[in-house]
């Protein structure tokens, strides 16, 4: 792989405790190209900066784009760790397949990611709860206005040092159960990580902000009854001792790696976890019976996000666990982050060491 290092390294953040999410980028980026007939080629790490696109580049017109989100962590003993990176690139291929984008080689992408992270290792912050967020993405660049899949693609990885998702700590969030808009339907792109899913969610997100809710909880697009997921997170409920998360079988929910890891961890503790359909009525009924014990979201950015309040379409407000973080949410957060920052032994074999 060609590596061209920058002559003008940027100043690193002066105060790591003030890092926000996704505003600051490192000195280098990775690019690889795909050309029809040739496959993926010309992988290179180059100084971070703008790229040139033809105004007719297909991504700008028909949105053929997929992405991933993962983190590199500076462990307490100084090692640099990735968390299940092969899962991200396997999922990228699921998205690729759905959007008619050529598949990538998972192992090669993990190796390229490690190389970029190693080059940028001084950008990985060491303050508590900070990390280097990595954003791999692919998009069609050929100039063409007829509707078809692209023939020429860019695969890129950019990196951004980030602070804790919730600077105030693990305070439970207020979530609005969306009844007007839908995110995805069976047969659509709900299971993929693609920009279009986010473009279509902004309207609901802003209407929720206006009501003082931080995110929306999506219901299924047909009956507006079954729970799907929260804006950027999968969702779990603890009802009368049972931990429930919506099944991925509908194809309208993103299969989160944090979701998968939380399920595996809960099962390793001997806790019952059900992946099944769960309706908002079931949640409301459990609430009325005093059996809705915990609600939390899972995702790479926040890891575990306790939910303190659900508002179901302005008809019903459910306060969960007195608006405080639940026992399981806290334990999952502590245990997952302990593995990610190398504070506990990784008995699951989830971390990949980049360098020391
Ligand atoms: C990325 C994402 C998640 C969380 O996935 P993780 O792999 O756990 O980060 C959940 N829902 C949506 C819509 C997402 O885009």
């Amino acid at each position: 792989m060609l590596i061209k290092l920058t002559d003008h390294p940027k100043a690193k953040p002066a105060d790591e405790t003030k890092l926000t999410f996704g505003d600051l980028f490192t000195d280098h980026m990775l690019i690889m190209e795909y050309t029809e007939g040739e496959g993926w080629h010309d992988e290179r790490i180059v100084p971070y900066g703008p790229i040139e696109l033809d105004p007719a580049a297909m991504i700008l017109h028909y949105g053929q784009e997929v992405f991933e989100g993962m983190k590199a962590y500076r462990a307490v003993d100084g090692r640099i760790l990735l968390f299940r990176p092969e899962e991200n690139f396997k999922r990228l291929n699921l998205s690729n397949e759905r959007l008619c984008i050529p598949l990538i080689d998972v192992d090669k992408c993990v190796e390229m990611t490690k190389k970029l992270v190693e080059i940028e290792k001084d950008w990985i912050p060491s303050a508590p709860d900070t990390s280097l967020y990595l954003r791999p993405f692919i998009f069609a660049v050929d100039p063409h206005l007829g509707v078809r899949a692209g023939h020429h693609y860019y695969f890129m990885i950019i990196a951004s040092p980030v602070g804790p998702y919730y600077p105030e700590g693990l305070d439970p969030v207020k979530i609005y159960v969306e009844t007007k808009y839908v995110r995805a339907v069976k047969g659509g792109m709900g299971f993929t990580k693609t920009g279009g899913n986010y473009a279509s969610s902004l309207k609901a997100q802003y209407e929720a902000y206006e009501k003082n809710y931080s995110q929306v909880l999506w219901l299924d697009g047909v009956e507006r009854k079954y729970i799907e997921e929260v804006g950027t997170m999968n969702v779990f409920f603890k009802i009368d001792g049972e931990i429930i998360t919506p099944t991925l079988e509908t194809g309208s929910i993103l299969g989160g790696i944090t979701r998968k890891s939380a399920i595996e961890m809960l099962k390793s503790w001997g806790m019952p976890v059900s992946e099944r359909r769960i309706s908002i009525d079931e949640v409301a009924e459990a609430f009325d019976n005093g059996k809705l014990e915990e609600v939390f979201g899972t995702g790479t950015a926040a890891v575990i996000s306790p939910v303190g309040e659900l508002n179901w379409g302005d008809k019903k407000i459910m306060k969960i666990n007195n608006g405080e973080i639940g026992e399981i949410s806290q334990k999952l957060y502590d245990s997952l982050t302990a593995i990610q920052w190398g504070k506990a032994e990784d008995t699951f074999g989830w971390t990949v060491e980049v360098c020391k």
Side-chain angles (χ1 to χ4, degrees):
M1 176 160 54
L2 183 128
I3 295 173
K4 183 176 185 294
L5 298 181
T6 178
D7 299 329
H8 307 284
K10 287 179 269 197
K12 309 278 187 307
D15 184 353
E16 287 184 353
T17 64
K18 297 219 159 58
L19 285 171
T20 53
F21 187 86
D23 294 313
L24 179 68
F25 301 94
T26 64
D27 284 321
H28 301 93
M29 61 188 188
L30 186 143
I31 309 184
M32 174 168 77
E33 288 178 57
Y34 178 94
T35 314
E36 204 166 70
E38 216 179 317
W40 288 106
H41 61 90
D42 278 284
E43 54 271 35
R44 55 203 190 261
I45 291 174
V46 294
Y48 185 94
I51 51 169
E52 197 167 82
L53 278 185
D54 192 291
M58 295 192 75
I59 173 61
L60 302 175
H61 303 277
Y62 306 120
Q64 205 192 4
E65 184 263 0
V66 294
F67 70 96
E68 271 303 323
M70 60 208 283
K71 285 174 170 175
Y73 306 85
R74 187 178 293 283
V76 282
D77 60 5
R79 287 176 305 145
I80 306 299
L81 302 176
L82 296 173
F83 185 73
R84 312 188 82 173
E86 66 295 340
E87 293 290 337
N88 288 93
F89 291 111
K90 281 195 226 161
R91 184 170 67 191
L92 189 59
N93 269 342
L94 283 182
S95 303
N96 283 339
E97 206 277 326
R98 178 65 181 81
L99 278 104
C100 300
I101 293 174
L103 303 189
I104 45 87
D105 179 327
V106 170
D107 294 337
K108 182 176 170 177
C109 286
V110 171
E111 286 314 309
M112 293 194 307
T113 306
K114 286 163 79 172
K115 191 73 215 167
L116 179 67
V117 169
E118 196 178 341
I119 289 173
E120 300 298 55
K121 69 176 189 296
D122 293 343
W123 280 97
I124 307 175
S126 47
D129 299 325
T130 60
S131 55
L132 185 67
Y133 185 81
L134 301 167
R135 166 56 56 87
F137 54 112
I138 306 179
F139 53 102
V141 295
D142 31 330
H144 182 71
L145 292 184
V147 177
R148 61 155 169 80
H151 295 160
H152 183 193
Y153 296 86
Y154 280 6
F155 168 104
M156 300 184 68
I157 307 179
I158 55 174
S160 171
V162 296
Y165 199 72
Y166 299 112
E168 329 71 47
L170 271 183
D171 276 346
V173 292
K174 290 169 67 188
I175 304 262
Y176 190 79
V177 183
E178 181 56 55
T179 51
K180 185 159 80 174
Y181 303 104
V182 299
R183 172 182 176 274
V185 289
K186 198 169 175 168
M189 304 198 296
F191 68 94
T192 69
K193 250 179 143 65
T194 182
N197 285 340
Y198 280 85
S200 75
S201 74
L202 292 173
K203 184 88 176 145
Q205 177 69 62
Y206 282 109
E207 289 185 17
Y209 283 154
E210 268 165 34
K211 296 180 177 141
N212 218 4
Y213 287 85
S214 67
Q215 293 208 44
V216 300
L217 177 64
W218 298 105
L219 300 178
D220 77 277
V222 178
E223 295 178 70
R224 314 282 174 103
K225 179 175 170 176
Y226 294 101
I227 288 163
E228 301 235 297
E229 60 177 312
V230 180
T232 57
M233 301 189 291
N234 295 110
V235 66
F236 287 70
F237 300 86
K238 181 159 173 271
I239 296 180
D240 201 16
E242 181 194 13
I243 297 171
I244 306 155
T245 191
T247 170
L248 301 180
E249 276 163 17
T250 55
S252 49
I253 300 172
L254 196 286
I257 295 158
T258 321
R259 172 190 184 277
K260 181 174 178 164
S261 307
I263 293 172
E264 288 171 31
M265 192 168 254
L266 288 163
K267 287 187 174 163
S268 79
W269 296 338
M271 304 207 56
V273 189
S274 313
E275 290 178 73
R276 61 169 172 86
R277 292 191 102 185
I278 173 168
S279 66
I280 185 68
D281 308 80
E282 180 180 345
V283 171
E285 196 188 312
F287 173 77
D288 289 338
N289 297 333
K291 292 190 167 160
L292 181 59
E293 293 154 357
E294 290 186 42
V295 181
F296 58 91
T298 61
T300 297
V303 191
I304 299 292
S305 190
V307 176
E309 182 183 319
L310 286 175
N311 178 341
W312 180 13
D314 292 322
K315 296 188 298 277
K316 184 178 182 75
I317 291 188
M318 301 174 240
K319 276 238 183 288
I320 298 136
N321 198 33
N322 298 317
E324 283 164 30
I325 181 165
E327 199 188 319
I328 295 297
S329 314
Q330 183 75 55
K331 192 173 168 198
L332 268 177
Y333 179 82
D334 293 342
S335 309
L336 281 167
T337 55
I339 290 177
Q340 291 167 336
W341 275 284
K343 295 178 205 162
E345 195 199 336
D346 175 13
T347 52
F348 296 91
W350 285 338
T351 52
V352 170
E353 189 178 306
V354 175
C355 54
K356 291 210 199 301

